[in-house]
Amino acid sequence: MDNSVEKKQGSSSRNLLACAIKRRQVILFVGAGVSMAVGLPSWQTLIDHLLKELELAPEVIDGMNDGYQMLAEFYRLKQGGMGQLRSWLDRNWKVATDKVAQSELHKLIVEFDFPAIYTTNYDRNLETAFEVHHKPYAKIANAKHIADAAHGITHIIKYHGDFDDDASLVLTETDFLDRLSFDSPLDIKFRADALGRTILFIGYSMSDPNIRLLLHSIWLTWEKSGHKDHRPPSFVFMAEFNPVQEAILAHWGITLLTPESGSCRGDALTAFLADIRAKIRDVDD
């Protein structure tokens, strides 16, 4: 594709997204990249802890695509539960409040006033961001939370669970396989939300099997609905352009957005959201 045409299409998509955010018609879906931007430990930290606790050699996970899930499964079998691991995660899987407060990325997320933010992250960084910026929110991790959540404020849906509710955590391989049916209360809520609004995914990689499965599920829902031509536009922001990923995402009805030329890769997501904020302000003017 000609570079000028590609740039024009990218600008058009950003304008479309900005207008939808302005109308509060966008759901944000947040992945690990957003938390790692403020220093959250990597998955390798969890793997190292599990290997140490289980007294296993590192090479035991060679060839495992999602080693931490299988190790967590083994941990549950050996320990008879996840209580001690959940406690360790609660103590270690977090970022200092002042770092979140200083994060321009999290500040932008709060400012956009999304009606709902789904996250597969276990940490409390999003909740902390809303608290330090004095913005009300409702945390949702189970069916009771759905029923109790106040209207008119941002709902932060902990799609893979929350440390305050052990039963909600999606951490082991069995947990992830159980989610393949997409029939939990949070899945039902997500399908209802996704049918009526634009979705923006940030902080994800297409190498993440969970995000690929989720994107495919959304596509399949619309394919079976008989009204796929009326599906709201949806977007994924990624730090680098890849023609293979772009083609697959387009097939699933998702537009790939990438940094504009000259953006620093490390701050690409923040720069992208700042650009969307500027476009929203242009709409206001």
Side-chain angles (χ1 to χ4, degrees):
M1 181 186 297
D2 180 82
N3 187 55
S4 61
V5 174
E6 183 178 340
K7 185 175 181 180
K8 184 177 180 180
Q9 289 180 345
S11 178
S12 176
S13 294
R14 290 175 183 232
N15 288 333
L16 184 64
L17 176 60
C19 289
I21 291 175
K22 172 64 179 174
R23 298 193 306 271
R24 298 193 83 230
Q25 286 295 312
V26 177
I27 295 170
L28 185 66
F29 219 107
V30 175
V34 171
S35 288
M36 294 180 75
V38 289
L40 190 79
S42 68
W43 288 118
Q44 188 60 48
T45 303
L46 174 58
I47 290 172
D48 291 343
H49 174 75
L50 288 168
L51 289 171
K52 181 179 179 181
E53 287 291 298
L54 295 166
E55 299 181 341
L56 296 172
E59 55 267 22
V60 75
I61 62 169
D62 288 350
M64 296 184 188
N65 290 331
D66 298 296
Y68 79 90
Q69 296 172 11
M70 296 188 72
L71 282 174
E73 186 79 40
F74 187 54
Y75 181 97
R76 176 184 279 165
L77 293 172
K78 296 285 286 186
Q79 303 292 342
M82 302 295 286
Q84 291 184 9
L85 178 59
R86 197 275 304 161
S87 296
W88 180 86
L89 283 166
D90 201 9
R91 293 192 307 271
N92 294 276
W93 216 255
K94 57 187 177 182
V95 174
T97 299
D98 61 336
K99 289 200 70 172
V100 177
Q102 295 165 12
S103 168
E104 180 66 16
L105 174 56
H106 284 80
K107 182 172 181 285
L108 285 163
I109 290 172
V110 173
E111 282 183 11
F112 282 150
D113 193 29
F114 294 103
I117 300 175
Y118 285 76
T119 179
T120 48
N121 299 340
Y122 306 112
D123 60 75
R124 293 194 74 258
N125 291 343
L126 287 172
E127 297 97 299
T128 298
F130 274 75
E131 288 162 7
V132 299
H133 293 296
H134 310 291
K135 192 77 175 290
Y137 71 92
K139 180 180 70 175
I140 296 176
N142 54 45
K144 182 180 184 300
H145 291 163
I146 294 174
D148 293 344
H151 297 289
I153 61 175
T154 298
H155 291 176
I156 299 178
I157 298 96
K158 306 299 284 286
Y159 203 59
H160 280 176
D162 182 73
F163 291 142
D164 292 337
D165 180 4
D166 285 6
S168 71
L169 291 175
V170 179
L171 184 59
T172 71
E173 185 174 47
T174 295
D175 295 333
F176 281 93
L177 292 175
D178 286 345
R179 292 301 296 274
L180 294 180
S181 61
F182 285 97
D183 59 1
S184 76
L186 296 190
D187 293 317
I188 294 169
K189 175 176 172 53
F190 176 66
R191 283 200 299 271
D193 286 342
L195 284 172
R197 294 186 176 96
T198 288
I199 310 172
L200 171 62
F201 295 86
I202 62 174
Y204 286 101
S205 164
M206 278 296 287
S207 63
D208 183 342
N210 301 304
I211 187 63
R212 295 202 308 274
L213 181 62
L214 190 62
L215 294 176
H216 179 265
S217 175
I218 297 168
W219 171 79
L220 193 59
T221 297
W222 276 101
E223 284 292 308
K224 291 180 176 180
S225 74
H227 301 282
K228 63 180 182 180
D229 292 339
H230 298 278
R231 176 182 173 180
S234 289
F235 306 92
V236 173
F237 178 83
M238 293 185 180
E240 293 182 348
F241 174 78
N242 182 301
V244 176
Q245 293 177 349
E246 181 187 43
I248 294 171
L249 288 166
H251 175 68
W252 289 340
I254 310 286
T255 299
L256 173 63
L257 298 174
T258 53
E260 294 182 334
S261 58
S263 296
C264 173
R265 188 180 188 280
D267 298 323
L269 178 54
T270 303
F272 164 71
L273 292 182
D275 178 58
I276 297 299
R277 179 177 60 184
K279 292 182 183 301
I280 292 172
R281 289 173 175 172
D282 288 343
V283 172
D284 290 340
D285 295 339

